[in-house]
Amino acid sequence: MASLSIHSKKHKVAVVGSGNWGTTIAKVVAENVQAHSDLFEQEIQMWVYEEDYQIPKDSKHYDAGSALSTKPQKLTQLINGLHENVKYLPGIALPKNIVANPDVADTVKGSTILIFNLPHQFIGRVCDGLRGKVIPYARGISCIKGVSVSDQGCELFSESIGKKLNIYCGALSGANIANEVALEKWCETTIAYDPPAMDSKQPTPAGSPSASSADLPSLQKSESKSMKLAALPAEYPPLNHANVRTLFHRPYFHVRMVKDVAGVSLGGALKNIVALAAGFVDGLGWGDNAKSAVIRIGILEEVKFGMQFFSHTCRSETFTEESCGVADIITSCSGGRNFRCAKMAVKEGKPIGEIEERELNGQKLQGTSTAYEVHSFLKAMAMEKEFPLFEAVYNILEGNNKPEDIPKLVEAHSTDDV
Amino acid sequence: MASLSIHSKKHKVAVVGSGNWGTTIAKVVAENVQAHSDLFEQEIQMWVYEEDYQIPKDSKHYDAGSALSTKPQKLTQLINGLHENVKYLPGIALPKNIVANPDVADTVKGSTILIFNLPHQFIGRVCDGLRGKVIPYARGISCIKGVSVSDQGCELFSESIGKKLNIYCGALSGANIANEVALEKWCETTIAYDPPAMDSKQPTPAGSPSASSADLPSLQKSESKSMKLAALPAEYPPLNHANVRTLFHRPYFHVRMVKDVAGVSLGGALKNIVALAAGFVDGLGWGDNAKSAVIRIGILEEVKFGMQFFSHTCRSETFTEESCGVADIITSCSGGRNFRCAKMAVKEGKPIGEIEERELNGQKLQGTSTAYEVHSFLKAMAMEKEFPLFEAVYNILEGNNKPEDIPKLVEAHSTDDV
């Protein structure tokens, strides 16, 4: 339990991003700061990429007599006036302590907890705009799914953010479809958070020199030797697992805390390749046994990828036991878009690109790009043979193999070492 | 690779049981003994519980001019004449080296490998009939799903067989729907096999005294201290993981070998409780996230059950990484009968017993009886609180809780220990 009296300051929380998932997470934490006023300040600033939006005539918010309805309005004004993100999360009432802010630097001002939830291609630009504007001892949580993989290497988004802003950044990922969470349908999530030990011990008084790199966890050690993180002043409640969990955990959104940032981030990226494979075998009509075999093999290739390339920090349990691993992969292989499009492609005998164009309204499948990126990375590491399912998906997309080949392609690797 | 020349004898394989799954496994091993005549004798004896069967008029085997068709025939005669189990696996051509045999003692005569695949309630009676008729150094594999749980304790079927016949008995379980395997649709399975070390080392000549109990694996150590197992004579190829896998592995039936007999057996029993829970939340319309959360929690309760009550031998990876664990639970929570009936019960607002009666033609749901048995066992151990999902299912069946309570019931246990 958090102690109530010994900390003179409370944490201020900002959410950077306000799409479908960003707004949903803002709702979750806005509810929790209300329920835990001993730990958190009551206002949640939420950064909104400003745009004009015209309320549609069929919206319950449309009022022909109101200026808000008759012409396009600033999205921030609509959100703050209606307490609803009418564009990206329509129909969901937001707590009134969420304040939409079009100025990203102003959004994070004075905040000790920064939640990043925006499309990954904007991370660089947004962080550039935040440099020098962030409290040095702030801590981040990235809710951005995926990792950046190429033949150059493999970088976690939480790492990119942490390095750009010189703060520690953890990661949140799980079997979470934004709309279902927004509707308060029950699910679970995983938060990986492993900041410098000084945060929970709080041995250094406010304003004292930051800890040496010897105190940093291994991920930070390996990735940012030159980074010096500022200690959280003792006036604040510690940002330990219990308090971070308190900020995110709801009766409908169960949080498990882990330390493995790499594993949590990788699960959200690699599952999309597995979902394509599951769609391929399901499209062949091979039934639930084959699909669950693909999922099982996919989980083990995720484990192998993590242990191979993030051996400092990765734990196999993150993939096999947590929501960000096994649960997210199951959900993605049940009805996710990668699964559905791959299945349609096989059933209709059409290239997946054609299905993507027809079904996704110009959006792109994450699974296909991740399959190519991971292949390119594995090839650069000369390790394609160690990941037969990931490679099978790449080769099926490339036309080098057929979905029917999957059992043969994974077979040689299915023996144990006895 | 098995060496071809140094062993003067080959293994003879018998299948005890010939239902849907028994006949399917007989087909699998009959194909493999043909492909590996260096290791195995070519004939597979299959015990059939003899009964009269009348070929239906719409069967392709019905021939008005043939005596086989015009009146009821012995099932063994039909199987051996038509090379098809017309009653329990109709439409699937069986290899001609399968010989149906109505005499169980004659079936196992001279066999060094006994595959048990019959309804669990017949194990006692059949083994009683086999006592003294089995080669002392024979090894068994039980394909019978489930375990025997009550407030008296928890016994594996493979253990019951092993003790009754004084032989070592392993277990096979996985995400395997018999009809799909029979149709050669691809899936995976897990075989747990951990016989006394003497089998692979073969240090003792044929007919020498059997190994001391100090050589037995820990499961046997704990369960059958008084058991003395006979060593496999050196004339036979060793029954190590490679050769056991060779007997079962097919291009459409991928085998992974493990040593954890308890874990493999428990997975096949406990998954049915989880499938009920998955059906309950799906019946509420909570979506794929909630279902995958139930599966994740279910896997961890399986792990806990195994580690708690079979700590000598159980490994968490058996549940989290193998077909008998994670894959079987996913399949069962996709379209299995426990899942389907639980979902219907919630959607229609009816007791599950009523759905069971309507949907299952007099058959019983495994999940409900397992939930009651496991509750009774946990209560006797005063450990109900450690298994909130298993208990939730029991309490929902009992009317003490509603499906909507599941998140609340599992919530207190969803924190980690940080």
Side-chain angles (χ1 to χ4, degrees):
Chain A
M1 296 296 292
S3 43
L4 299 186
S5 52
I6 62 165
H7 303 290
S8 60
K9 292 191 171 177
K10 297 175 184 180
H11 288 288
K12 189 164 186 292
V13 180
V15 178
V16 179
S18 53
N20 187 247
W21 186 217
T23 309
T24 300
I25 282 292
K27 171 178 179 290
V28 165
V29 298
E31 289 166 3
N32 275 327
V33 299
Q34 289 183 355
H36 299 278
S37 58
D38 54 319
L39 295 170
F40 304 108
E41 292 192 16
Q42 291 305 289
E43 193 180 271
I44 301 281
Q45 290 279 333
M46 175 172 81
W47 175 60
V48 175
Y49 179 81
E50 191 66 289
E51 55 187 307
D52 288 328
Y53 184 70
Q54 168 69 57
I55 293 181
K57 288 199 172 158
D58 59 359
S59 163
K60 71 168 181 170
H61 297 295
Y62 186 83
D63 172 1
S66 152
L68 275 181
S69 295
T70 47
K71 56 177 185 175
Q73 299 290 327
K74 298 288 180 211
L75 185 54
T76 51
Q77 286 175 340
L78 287 169
I79 294 172
N80 290 332
L82 301 169
H83 302 294
E84 180 180 316
N85 188 336
V86 282
K87 180 157 188 191
Y88 295 106
L89 196 63
I92 302 293
L94 298 178
K96 298 206 167 103
N97 55 332
I98 294 179
V99 178
N101 189 334
D103 179 337
V104 70
D106 190 59
T107 300
V108 303
K109 199 175 166 188
S111 287
T112 49
I113 301 176
L114 310 180
I115 299 167
F116 294 89
N117 207 336
L118 68 173
H120 66 86
Q121 57 271 29
F122 300 138
I123 293 174
R125 220 179 314 160
V126 167
C127 285
D128 287 343
L130 288 177
R131 228 193 279 253
K133 309 287 171 64
V134 166
I135 289 186
Y137 49 79
R139 302 286 176 251
I141 299 282
S142 162
C143 304
I144 305 159
K145 282 224 175 178
V147 291
S148 164
V149 191
S150 71
D151 52 5
Q152 302 299 305
C154 190
E155 185 167 67
L156 312 177
F157 295 140
S158 54
E159 276 184 347
S160 318
I161 294 169
K163 278 197 273 185
K164 285 228 174 220
L165 302 181
N166 202 42
I167 62 172
Y168 175 82
C169 189
L172 179 152
S173 183
N176 308 137
I177 295 166
N179 285 324
E180 293 187 5
V181 178
L183 289 167
E184 305 189 2
K185 291 185 178 178
W186 173 57
C187 68
E188 297 186 311
T189 201
T190 315
I191 297 177
Y193 189 74
D194 188 25
M198 53 189 178
D199 267 24
S200 42
K201 293 182 191 155
Q202 289 181 287
T204 50
S208 74
S210 58
S212 77
S213 66
D215 296 324
L216 303 183
S218 57
L219 178 68
Q220 298 285 349
K221 248 180 228 158
S222 61
E223 283 297 326
S224 48
K225 282 191 183 124
S226 61
M227 239 172 106
K228 287 198 162 193
L229 296 185
L232 184 72
E235 289 89 339
Y236 287 95
L239 281 180
N240 53 20
H241 273 192
N243 287 344
V244 172
R245 181 173 181 273
T246 298
L247 180 59
F248 288 93
H249 185 87
R250 297 294 298 158
Y252 58 85
F253 190 62
H254 288 191
V255 172
R256 299 235 314 175
M257 300 295 302
V258 301
K259 294 183 174 181
D260 175 9
V261 179
V264 169
S265 306
L266 288 171
L270 299 174
K271 63 155 191 179
N272 292 320
I273 308 179
V274 183
L276 289 177
F280 291 145
V281 303
D282 216 44
L284 291 169
W286 284 3
D288 290 334
N289 291 334
K291 194 165 107 175
S292 66
V294 162
I295 294 173
R296 192 198 68 77
I297 294 167
I299 293 171
L300 290 199
E301 291 198 10
E302 290 186 357
V303 168
K304 194 171 206 174
F305 195 96
M307 306 305 272
Q308 183 72 42
F309 304 115
F310 292 85
S311 57
H312 291 84
T313 54
C314 234
R315 296 181 72 234
S316 62
E317 292 86 345
T318 309
F319 303 99
T320 60
E321 299 186 359
E322 302 300 336
S323 179
C324 60
V326 56
D328 199 13
I329 211 170
I330 293 171
T331 295
S332 301
C333 293
S334 299
R337 52 167 65 169
N338 290 288
F339 171 77
R340 283 187 293 112
C341 288
K343 182 173 175 171
M344 285 182 218
V346 173
K347 280 186 97 161
E348 302 177 26
K350 290 181 181 156
I352 196 163
E354 197 180 317
I355 306 287
E356 185 180 34
E357 227 165 86
R358 185 185 76 197
E359 297 288 323
L360 297 185
N361 251 323
Q363 290 195 282
K364 291 286 170 193
L365 284 178
Q366 289 264 292
T368 51
S369 53
T370 307
Y372 277 90
E373 288 158 14
V374 165
H375 166 74
S376 160
F377 172 71
L378 291 175
K379 198 175 168 197
M381 311 293 283
M383 290 198 66
E384 302 112 297
K385 288 194 178 151
E386 302 293 314
F387 297 88
L389 186 69
F390 293 169
E391 283 298 304
V393 172
Y394 164 78
N395 281 309
I396 290 167
L397 293 172
E398 276 289 277
N400 303 329
N401 280 114
K402 287 182 296 182
E404 291 85 344
D405 298 333
I406 288 179
K408 189 184 69 191
L409 293 169
V410 300
E411 185 176 15
H413 296 259
S414 69
T415 50
D416 65 0
D417 52 0
V418 177
Chain B
M1 295 296 293
S3 41
L4 299 186
S5 52
I6 63 165
H7 303 290
S8 59
K9 291 192 171 180
K10 297 176 184 181
H11 288 288
K12 189 163 187 292
V13 181
V15 177
V16 179
S18 53
N20 185 249
W21 185 219
T23 309
T24 299
I25 282 292
K27 172 178 179 291
V28 165
V29 298
E31 289 166 3
N32 275 328
V33 299
Q34 290 183 354
H36 300 277
S37 57
D38 54 319
L39 296 171
F40 304 108
E41 292 192 14
Q42 291 304 290
E43 192 180 270
I44 301 280
Q45 290 280 332
M46 175 172 81
W47 175 61
V48 174
Y49 179 82
E50 190 67 289
E51 54 188 305
D52 289 328
Y53 183 70
Q54 167 70 57
I55 293 181
K57 288 200 171 158
D58 59 359
S59 165
K60 72 167 180 171
H61 297 294
Y62 186 83
D63 172 1
S66 153
L68 274 181
S69 296
T70 47
K71 57 178 183 173
Q73 300 288 329
K74 299 287 179 211
L75 185 53
T76 51
Q77 285 173 339
L78 287 169
I79 293 172
N80 290 332
L82 301 169
H83 302 293
E84 179 179 317
N85 188 335
V86 281
K87 179 157 187 191
Y88 294 108
L89 196 62
I92 303 293
L94 298 178
K96 299 207 167 106
N97 55 332
I98 294 178
V99 178
N101 189 333
D103 180 336
V104 71
D106 190 59
T107 299
V108 303
K109 199 174 166 189
S111 288
T112 49
I113 301 176
L114 310 179
I115 299 167
F116 293 89
N117 207 336
L118 68 173
H120 66 86
Q121 56 272 27
F122 300 138
I123 294 174
R125 219 180 314 159
V126 167
C127 285
D128 287 343
L130 288 178
R131 230 193 278 254
K133 309 286 169 64
V134 165
I135 288 186
Y137 49 79
R139 301 288 176 248
I141 299 282
S142 161
C143 305
I144 305 160
K145 282 223 175 179
V147 292
S148 163
V149 191
S150 71
D151 52 5
Q152 302 299 305
C154 190
E155 185 167 67
L156 312 178
F157 294 140
S158 53
E159 277 184 345
S160 318
I161 294 168
K163 279 197 275 187
K164 285 226 175 221
L165 302 181
N166 202 41
I167 62 172
Y168 175 81
C169 188
L172 178 152
S173 183
N176 308 135
I177 295 165
N179 286 323
E180 294 186 6
V181 178
L183 288 167
E184 305 188 3
K185 290 185 177 179
W186 173 57
C187 67
E188 297 185 310
T189 200
T190 315
I191 298 177
Y193 189 74
D194 187 26
M198 52 188 177
D199 266 24
S200 41
K201 292 183 192 154
Q202 290 181 284
T204 50
S208 72
S210 57
S212 77
S213 65
D215 295 325
L216 303 183
S218 56
L219 178 70
Q220 298 285 351
K221 248 180 227 158
S222 62
E223 283 297 326
S224 48
K225 283 189 184 127
S226 61
M227 237 171 108
K228 287 199 165 194
L229 296 185
L232 184 71
E235 288 89 339
Y236 287 94
L239 281 179
N240 53 20
H241 273 192
N243 287 343
V244 172
R245 182 173 180 272
T246 298
L247 180 60
F248 288 93
H249 185 87
R250 297 293 299 156
Y252 59 85
F253 190 62
H254 288 192
V255 172
R256 300 233 316 174
M257 301 294 303
V258 301
K259 294 184 173 182
D260 175 9
V261 179
V264 168
S265 306
L266 287 171
L270 299 174
K271 62 154 192 179
N272 292 320
I273 308 180
V274 184
L276 289 177
F280 291 146
V281 303
D282 216 44
L284 292 169
W286 285 2
D288 290 334
N289 290 334
K291 195 165 106 176
S292 66
V294 162
I295 294 172
R296 191 198 69 77
I297 294 167
I299 293 171
L300 291 200
E301 291 199 10
E302 290 185 357
V303 168
K304 193 170 206 174
F305 195 96
M307 305 305 272
Q308 183 72 42
F309 304 116
F310 292 86
S311 57
H312 292 84
T313 54
C314 234
R315 296 182 71 236
S316 63
E317 292 85 345
T318 309
F319 303 98
T320 61
E321 299 185 359
E322 301 301 336
S323 178
C324 60
V326 57
D328 199 13
I329 211 171
I330 293 171
T331 294
S332 301
C333 293
S334 299
R337 53 168 63 171
N338 291 288
F339 171 76
R340 283 187 293 111
C341 288
K343 182 173 175 172
M344 284 183 219
V346 173
K347 281 186 96 162
E348 301 177 25
K350 289 180 182 156
I352 196 163
E354 197 180 316
I355 306 287
E356 185 179 33
E357 227 164 86
R358 186 186 74 199
E359 298 287 325
L360 298 185
N361 253 323
Q363 290 195 283
K364 291 287 171 192
L365 284 177
Q366 290 264 291
T368 51
S369 53
T370 307
Y372 277 90
E373 288 158 13
V374 165
H375 165 75
S376 161
F377 173 70
L378 291 175
K379 197 174 168 197
M381 311 294 282
M383 289 199 66
E384 302 112 295
K385 288 194 178 150
E386 302 294 314
F387 298 88
L389 186 69
F390 293 169
E391 283 297 303
V393 171
Y394 164 78
N395 280 309
I396 291 166
L397 293 172
E398 276 289 277
N400 303 329
N401 280 114
K402 289 182 294 183
E404 290 86 345
D405 299 332
I406 288 179
K408 189 184 70 193
L409 293 169
V410 300
E411 185 176 16
H413 297 260
S414 67
T415 50
D416 64 359
D417 52 1
V418 178

